């Protein structure tokens, strides 16, 4: 006997029905949506898009950001903190205060204090504030990567600020060594990711 399949939403429709790639229910052409070449019912389409936004692949695993994308985000954020130092250096050189016998003036001293605070306290405040409001700094947003929990959820404010402080301390003490574990772990975790219990995912829209 020939098997007759019916759309779960329109039982009277038997022609052109296919299985949803996510839930397995039969759906007719009017009820299905093609995403990445696979058919989905309306409910599963919404869940599929939500998973992609959360950095979850169709297999259910998080789509971890590559080390290259992470370093690119780090470089872009570093420019934000390097510009004030560069301006201070230009002023010191232009005013002749980089000479061995020269003494810095008030502007040079105040500028140095501001630069030191900016690249220390300012860096932690910037990162903690940005991560607590969406998991992305400006550099991470530009590189389409996002910091989440190991389960793929948004960070709690305390976790975001703690990660910012840990990254500054660990990176300050161990420099590039902080990123070495990311080259060898499946989840591409750095030392500060392990300490803060965070993961960095690929936040680009669409299948990966």
């Amino acid at each position: 006997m020939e098997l007759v399949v019916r759309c779960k939403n329109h039982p009277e429709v038997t022609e052109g029905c296919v299985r949803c790639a996510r839930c397995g229910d039969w759906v007719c052409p009017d009820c299905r949506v093609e995403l990445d070449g696979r058919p989905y019912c309306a409910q599963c389409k919404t869940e599929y898009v939500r998973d992609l936004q959360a950095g979850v692949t169709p297999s259910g695993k998080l789509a971890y950001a590559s080390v290259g994308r992470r370093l690119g985000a780090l470089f872009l954020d570093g420019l934000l903190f390097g510009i004030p130092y560069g301006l201070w250096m230009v002023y010191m050189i232009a005013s002749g205060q980089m000479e061995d016998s020269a003494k810095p003036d008030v502007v040079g001293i105040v500028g140095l204090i501001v630069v030191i605070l900016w690249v220390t306290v300012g860096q932690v405040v910037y990162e903690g504030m940005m991560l607590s409001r969406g998991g992305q700094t400006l550099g991470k947003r530009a590189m389409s990567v996002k910091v989440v929990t190991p389960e793929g959820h948004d960070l709690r404010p305390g976790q975001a600020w703690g990660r910012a402080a840990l990254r500054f301390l660990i990176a300050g003490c161990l420099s590039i060594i902080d990123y070495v574990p990311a080259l060898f772990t499946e989840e591409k975790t750095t030392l500060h990711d392990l300490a803060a219990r965070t993961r960095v995912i690929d936040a680009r829209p669409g299948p990966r």
Side-chain angles (χ1 to χ4, degrees), residues 170 174 177-179 181 189-196:
I170 294 175
L174 300 176
I177 296 177
D178 180 27
Y179 280 79
T189 48
T190 61
L191 294 180
H192 63 266
D193 282 323
L194 294 172

Side-chain angles (χ1 to χ4, degrees), residues 148-185:
V148 297
T149 67
E151 299 75 31
H153 303 147
D154 288 339
L155 301 183
R156 302 182 304 275
Q159 189 176 16
W161 285 91
R163 184 187 190 275
L166 284 168
R167 194 191 73 77
F168 177 79
L169 292 173
I170 294 175
C173 295
L174 300 176
S175 186
I176 196 65
I177 296 177
D178 180 27
Y179 280 79
V180 169
L183 299 173
F184 304 101
T185 57

Side-chain angles (χ1 to χ4, degrees), residues 4-7 12-18 27-30 32:
V4 177
V5 297
R6 302 177 183 274
C7 173
E12 69 279 8
V13 179
T14 60
E15 295 293 329
C17 293
V18 296
V27 287
C28 67
D30 291 336
R32 69 174 181 261

